[in-house]
Amino acid sequence: MRAKRELQTKSNSGFSLITVILAVGLVGILVMLVAYIVIANFRMKMSGLKEKDAFYTAERALEEIRTGLQEDIAEAMSEAYTNVMESYNESVKSGDAAMDAQRQAAYEREFFTILQKRLRGSEGRAGYYDITKLRNYVDLDKEGSFDKTKESLVVTAVAEKESSQDSAVNVGAKMTVDPTKKKITVRNVKVIYVDEKGYAAIIRTNIELAVPPIQYPTPSTLPDLMNMIVVAGKGIYCEQGTGSGTEDSEIQGSVYAGLVPETKLKGVAVNIKDASIYLAPNRTLNISKGERIVCAGEVSLAQNSAFNSAAETTVWAQGVNLSSAKAELLGKTYLSDDLTVKAGNGSYVKLAGEYYGYGDVESALNSENCIEYGYPKKNLDGTYTGESVRTANTYEKKTAAALSSAITINGKSTTLDMSGLERLLLAGKNYIASKALSTSGTSGNSADVLTGESVTVKGTQLAYLVPDSLLGTAEKDYHNPMDYNTYVKAAGIDTTKDNAAAVQTKIKQFAKNIARTDKAVKELGNRRLKETGVDAEEPIQTVFYNDGSSAGGYVYFYLNFTDEKKASDFMQVYYKKNPSLKKMMDGYLSFYFKGQDSFEKNTSGIYVKDQTAYLRYVVGGNILSYDGKKKSGNLDGATVEENSQTVTEEETGYQNMWYALRRKMIGSYDLLKTEVKDSDGISHNETAVDRDVFDNLVNEKEMVQFIESHGKKEGSIVYDENEKSCTFTASQEDGGLQTIMAHNGKKSTFLVKDESASKAALEESTIKTKETSVNGADKELVIGNGNGEHSPDKLRLVVCTGDVRIKAGITFSGIIMAKGTITLEPGAKLLSSPLDAAKAFQSQMNNGKTSPKDFFWEGDKYVLGNSQTSNDSGNSDKDSDVYHIEDYVTYKNWERK
C-alpha cells in the first residue's frame, strides 16, 4: 500500500505534453507575429510604392508644364530678337559696343513684354498669369491609360498663405518681373494627383523663367568683300535677247549697281531714268543667291523681260518698274520709292517673304539721304545746312511723290500677287502726277495730288475728280476736264507775260473761285465738298495733262487733301459705303484686269491675304485688291500704326541703312569713316554724298599710279598698252589664279601732294594738295573666249576704271569691280567664288612687293570673312548659336506634401 502511494507521488507522466503544447503555442504566436510584421511591411511598401507612383505622376504633370513654358520662352526669344533686328534704329551715332548694349536692352524689354503677354493669356488682371494656360500644357490626363472616373489631377494656383477662404483657383496666380535679375517668376503653382486607391501627391512650387542671352551680329566697318560678285559704278545692263531659256543670266553673290548712264540706253529705252539694273526686251536675270543686292536707282524691266530674286536674297533699290514684264521678289525687298507697273499688257508681279516700302516724306528728310533728295540737312539744334563739305553738287529737289513708297498699276491685264508675303510695310501713298504749266520758260503748278491708297490702280483716280456740278460760279458752269485754251482764258493767265509766281497765284485763285463747297452730290456719297476732308483753304487742286497736241492738252480738277488720314478715309467711304459708287469703280477696274491673261497665264488681279494672316502688316494708306474671276474689288484701310513715332524711326533707319549700303555695302552709317588716309596722308571721306561703293572700296589713285609706273612686262605682271591694264598670274600654290587691274575708263582725277608748295606752306600741319588727272584707255574690257578677250578660266579678280562686258554664254567666277557699266550678254553668268577670290586678293606680285589688296582702302584688313558676333555670356564658343532652353526654366521653393 505504501509502495503504491510512493509510485503515485513520484510519477510525472503527461508533463511533456504540456511542454509541447506550450512550445507549439509559443511558436504559433511567433509565426503569427512574424506573419503580421511581414504583411504590415508589405502593406507599408505597397503604400510607399503607391505614394511614389502618385508623386511621379504629379511630377510628370509639373514637367509637362515646365516643357510648355520652355516653348513660351523659345517663342518669346525668337519674336523679340526679330523685332529688335527689324526696328533697331541704324542711324544712332554710337560705337559697336554701345549699339550692341542698346540692342541687348531692347531685346530684354521685348522679351519681357512678349512673355508676359503669353503668360497672361485670357487673364485680365495685371501681374497675374492664366492658370488655365498652364493646365492646358498637361497631356497626362488625355492618355488612354488615365481613368478619369477613378483618378483626378488638379493644377491650380494657391495664395501665398493658403486659407479656407480662398475659393478662386487662380487667387495666387501671380507673376513677378525682376529686370535686374532678368527673370519672371510664375508663383504658387500647385499640382495635386489622386489615384484610384485614394493615394495623393501634392507639389507646390514657383517657376522662374530667365532671359536667354542672345548674340547679335556686330556690324563691321568692312563689307564681306569675298562674297561679293559685282560692283558696277554705272549699273548693270542686260542686252536684248531672243527670249530663249538658254539666254537667262544668273548672278550669285552680293551686288552693288550704280546708275546706268542715259547715253547707254539711248535708242534702246524711252523715258528710262535712274536705272541701276536694266533688262532689255526678252531678257531674264535670276538673282539666285546674294546677301545684298544694292541698287542706287531702280530695277527696270522692258517688254517680255523677267527679274527674279530668290528667297535667300535681299534687294535694296530706289524702286522697281516694269512694262509687259515679270518680276518675282521672293526674299526681302526694301524700296525707297514705288513698285510701278507701267503702261503695257500682261505684267506679272509676285511678292513673297518680306516687303518694306519704307519711303515717307518725314523719314526721308530726317535721313542722311536728304541732300540727294534736294533738301538741306537738319542739325541737332534744329538749324539746317547744305553740307557743302560732303558734296559740291546741287541735287534736284524731289517731290513728295518721289519720296513716298507705294505700289501702282498703270498697265492692263496685270497680276499682282502679294499673298505670299509674311511681312508688309508700305509707308507712303500714291500721287497723281501734275505737269507744270510752262510760261516764258518758267513753271507754274507742279504739285502732285495726294490720294489715300498705298496699293492702287490708275482707274481709281476717277474717285478724286471733282464732279462737274461742283465747278462753277454764279454766272458760269465749268466741266472737268477743261481744254487748255479754255482754262487759260477763264483763269486769266497770260502765257507770254506772266511769270511763274503770277501763274501759280492765278491757278490757285481760279480753283478757289469755282469750288462749290456747300452742295451735296451723289458722286461724293451725298456729301458736300467741305465734308469730304479736303483742305479748307484750297479744296481743289489743278493738274495739267499735255497730250502732245498743239492745243496744249487738258486741265483736270482733283480733290485736294493735305491730311493723309482724311484722304484714306474719303476713299473708304467712297468705295465701301456706297454700293453704287463701288459698282461703278469695279467697272473701271475691270477695264484694267481683262482682255488677256498675264505674263504667267493666270487670271489678272491684285491678290492679298487677310491682314491677320501676315506676321507684320503696317500700311500708311488703303490697300486695293481685285479678284479678276469674281470681278470684284476690296479696300482694306490703313493701320493705326501709320503715324507711330516708332515706325517713323524705323523708316528713317532704313533710309540711313540704304545710304550706307550705297557708300560701302555696310548697314550702318555710323560705321562709315570720315578720314581714311592714303599713302600721301591725304584724307578720304567715306560719308561724302558723291562717294559710291567703288570709290570707298578701291583706292583708284594707288591703282592708276601703279599701272602708269608699270607700262611694261615685269616678272609675272603682263602689261597691255592698248587696254592700259596689268594682268597678274599668281603662283601655282595659289592655283595660278589671275587678277586684272585696268585703267580703261576715260579719265581718273584725284588729289596728290603739292610738292611745289612754298616752304612755309609745307611746314604747316595740313597737307597741301593739288588735283591731277590721268587719261585712261577709254575701252571696254571684255571677258570671253574670243581674240583680244580675257578668258574666264583662271580669272578671279577684275578691278577697272571703265566698262566691262561679259560675252554671251560665259560664266565668270570671282569678283568684278568696275567704275563703269557691266554689260551682260544673253546667257552670261556671274558667280561668287570666295576662296578663289581671297587667294587672288591676297596673292603676292612684283617680287613680293605688291599685292592686289594694296589697291583697296584698308585692304590689309580684309581676310576670308569680316563677320563679328557679340557675346557677353562669357561662353568661349562665340560662334555657337545653340541654346538649351531648359536651363532657363527652373523651380524655386519646391515643396512636396
Side-chain angles (χ1 to χ4, degrees), residues 60-84:
R60 176 183 165 188
L62 190 61
E63 281 296 306
E64 288 181 344
I65 293 174
R66 182 170 176 257
T67 301
L69 292 173
Q70 290 173 21
E71 293 179 5
D72 281 326
I73 282 186
E75 291 293 331
M77 174 185 175
S78 174
E79 189 175 345
Y81 178 87
T82 303
N83 290 349
V84 171

Side-chain angles (χ1 to χ4, degrees), residues 465 533 812:
L465 281 173
F812 172 83

Side-chain angles (χ1 to χ4, degrees), residues 109-369:
R109 290 193 299 270
E110 282 285 311
F111 179 86
F112 280 135
T113 300
I114 295 166
L115 186 56
Q116 286 182 83
K117 184 178 179 180
R118 293 179 69 92
L119 294 174
R120 191 174 297 121
S122 59
E123 173 59 63
R125 296 174 296 174
Y128 284 79
Y129 62 88
D130 185 358
I131 189 63
T132 305
K133 178 180 177 67
L134 270 60
R135 179 66 178 83
N136 291 336
Y137 286 143
V138 180
D139 295 325
L140 171 65
D141 54 347
K142 298 180 180 67
E143 296 179 353
S145 59
F146 190 92
D147 189 347
K148 293 184 178 181
T149 62
K150 298 178 181 179
E151 302 173 78
S152 63
L153 178 66
V154 178
V155 177
T156 185
V158 297
E160 299 288 346
K161 293 183 179 180
E162 296 180 77
S163 70
S164 59
Q165 296 178 350
D166 294 331
S167 56
V169 295
N170 64 343
V171 69
K174 295 182 179 179
M175 58 177 170
T176 56
V177 181
D178 189 341
T180 304
K181 294 183 179 180
K182 301 179 182 180
K183 290 181 180 180
I184 294 179
T185 302
V186 175
R187 308 184 69 85
N188 310 316
V189 178
K190 189 173 184 179
V191 177
I192 305 171
Y193 170 73
V194 181
D195 70 4
E196 68 275 10
K197 298 295 185 181
Y199 291 98
I202 303 174
I203 302 176
R204 175 176 174 173
T205 186
N206 297 337
I207 304 177
E208 290 188 344
L209 311 177
V211 183
I214 205 75
Q215 294 183 7
Y216 277 98
T218 301
S220 169
T221 59
L222 301 175
D224 189 1
L225 184 64
M226 300 311 155
N227 280 303
M228 291 188 67
I229 176 62
V230 165
V231 170
K234 294 184 179 178
I236 298 174
Y237 174 44
C238 296
E239 285 190 338
Q240 184 167 347
T242 63
S244 169
T246 58
E247 295 182 343
D248 291 359
S249 288
E250 179 182 3
I251 293 179
Q252 291 183 7
S254 293
V255 171
Y256 168 76
L259 299 179
V260 179
E262 292 185 40
T263 54
K264 194 85 173 178
L265 302 176
K266 190 175 182 180
V268 177
V270 180
N271 295 327
I272 297 296
K273 295 178 60 178
D274 298 336
S276 283
I277 298 178
Y278 178 76
L279 274 65
N282 303 314
R283 285 302 307 276
T284 294
L285 177 61
N286 299 313
I287 311 292
S288 57
K289 184 169 59 177
E291 181 186 359
R292 285 167 174 159
I293 311 300
V294 178
C295 300
E298 296 183 330
V299 178
S300 186
L301 313 180
Q303 185 177 6
N304 293 326
S305 63
F307 177 84
N308 307 307
S309 62
E312 298 81 13
T313 62
T314 300
V315 176
W316 289 82
Q318 175 181 310
V320 175
N321 69 74
L322 59 155
S323 176
S324 303
K326 173 185 175 183
E328 289 192 346
L329 308 173
L330 308 182
K332 292 183 178 180
T333 305
Y334 296 83
L335 301 183
S336 68
D337 198 1
D338 297 343
L339 188 162
T340 304
V341 178
K342 302 171 79 172
N345 286 297
S347 291
Y348 176 85
V349 179
K350 182 176 182 179
L351 303 179
E354 301 177 23
Y355 184 94
Y356 299 91
Y358 57 85
D360 173 76
V361 174
E362 181 180 357
S363 62
L365 299 188
N366 284 333
S367 74
E368 299 297 333
N369 291 308

Side-chain angles (χ1 to χ4, degrees), residues 293-514:
I293 311 300
V294 178
C295 300
E298 296 183 330
V299 178
S300 186
L301 313 180
Q303 185 177 6
N304 293 326
S305 63
F307 177 84
N308 307 307
S309 62
E312 298 81 13
T313 62
T314 300
V315 176
W316 289 82
Q318 175 181 310
V320 175
N321 69 74
L322 59 155
S323 176
S324 303
K326 173 185 175 183
E328 289 192 346
L329 308 173
L330 308 182
K332 292 183 178 180
T333 305
Y334 296 83
L335 301 183
S336 68
D337 198 1
D338 297 343
L339 188 162
T340 304
V341 178
K342 302 171 79 172
N345 286 297
S347 291
Y348 176 85
V349 179
K350 182 176 182 179
L351 303 179
E354 301 177 23
Y355 184 94
Y356 299 91
Y358 57 85
D360 173 76
V361 174
E362 181 180 357
S363 62
L365 299 188
N366 284 333
S367 74
E368 299 297 333
N369 291 308
C370 64
I371 300 170
E372 289 178 278
Y373 296 155
Y375 296 85
K377 182 81 169 74
K378 189 175 183 179
N379 299 320
L380 294 176
D381 60 1
T383 61
Y384 291 86
T385 175
E387 294 271 332
S388 58
V389 175
R390 287 172 54 189
T391 178
N393 293 334
T394 300
Y395 291 87
E396 180 182 353
K397 181 174 287 189
K398 291 197 173 186
T399 64
L403 300 177
S404 184
S405 290
I407 297 178
T408 307
I409 296 176
N410 294 323
K412 297 179 183 178
S413 299
T414 296
T415 296
L416 171 61
D417 185 2
M418 302 170 63
S419 61
L421 284 173
E422 295 178 350
R423 290 180 169 84
L424 173 65
L425 168 65
L426 266 179
K429 307 282 200 311
N430 275 284
Y431 287 77
I432 301 170
S434 173
K435 302 291 185 182
L437 175 62
S438 297
T439 59
S440 302
T442 61
S443 295
N445 181 38
S446 59
D448 295 326
V449 179
L450 170 69
T451 72
E453 285 66 64
S454 292
V455 176
T456 194
V457 179
K458 184 177 181 180
T460 60
Q461 296 178 4
L462 296 173
Y464 295 91
L465 281 173
V466 179
D468 283 356
S469 56
L470 296 183
L471 297 175
T473 62
E475 297 79 20
K476 184 176 180 60
D477 294 330
Y478 292 100
H479 297 287
N480 193 5
M482 296 171 63
D483 69 82
Y484 177 79
N485 292 327
T486 300
Y487 171 80
V488 168
K489 182 178 179 180
I493 297 174
D494 188 331
T495 57
T496 59
K497 295 181 179 180
D498 289 343
N499 59 24
V503 170
Q504 185 70 20
T505 300
K506 291 181 179 180
I507 288 172
K508 290 185 177 182
Q509 190 60 50
F510 181 72
K512 193 172 183 178
N513 292 342
I514 65 174

